Amino acid sequence: MQVQVVKSKIHRVKVTGADLNYIGSITIDEDLMDAANIIQGEKVQIVNNDNGERLETYVIPGPRNSGEITLNGAAARKVAVGDVLILITYAWMPLEDAKIFNPSLVFPDEKTNLLQ
């Protein structure tokens, strides 16, 4: 049996941009991606703490040490600059592996989105 579990989470980052005219995705500071073990193109669930929106898209890397969190394309309509998000990725694995798996959890500085 395979189960889906949380693989990584970036907890409480602020939206720094919303670009409706970009082709789609979420841009995340590459330092945050590395810390959370998230790769370019990976599917991510976005939970908006400010308005309750939940959506899925894919990740593109942003400049390192920038704190950038930009929603692109149609997803830009689901956020406002300054909204607080939780970003979550999931992985499928055998049940016994899932029981001992430890996800990558990242808690950036809530004002700057930078690693502490």
Side-chain angles (χ1 to χ4, degrees):
M1 176 188 333
Q2 296 273 316
V3 295
Q4 190 175 30
V5 297
V6 172
K7 177 183 131 316
S8 53
K9 178 166 80 164
I10 302 174
H11 191 75
R12 297 188 59 85
V13 288
K14 286 188 181 176
V15 175
T16 60
D19 185 354
L20 184 60
N21 295 313
Y22 192 79
I23 59 172
S25 71
I26 182 171
T27 303
I28 301 174
D29 177 325
E30 198 166 0
D31 287 339
L32 293 174
M33 290 174 58
D34 289 347
N37 196 25
I38 296 173
I39 62 168
Q40 181 173 341
E42 186 168 359
K43 180 178 174 180
V44 63
Q45 180 182 40
I46 300 165
V47 180
N48 188 327
N49 282 3
D50 288 299
N51 65 17
E53 290 283 353
R54 298 172 83 90
L55 62 118
E56 294 176 341
T57 190
Y58 62 94
V59 176
I60 60 173
R64 289 187 179 279
N65 200 39
S66 66
E68 182 175 357
I69 302 291
T70 300
L71 277 290
N72 304 302
R77 294 195 183 276
K78 303 289 188 177
V79 301
V81 172
D83 282 358
V84 175
L85 308 179
I86 299 171
L87 311 176
I88 308 163
T89 65
Y90 300 89
W92 288 97
M93 62 186 68
L95 179 61
E96 292 307 312
D97 292 344
K99 288 179 181 180
I100 59 172
F101 178 75
N102 291 313
S104 298
L105 306 176
V106 178
F107 299 89
D109 180 281
E110 289 190 33
K111 292 179 183 171
T112 64
N113 290 344
L114 300 176
L115 297 172
Q116 300 177 7

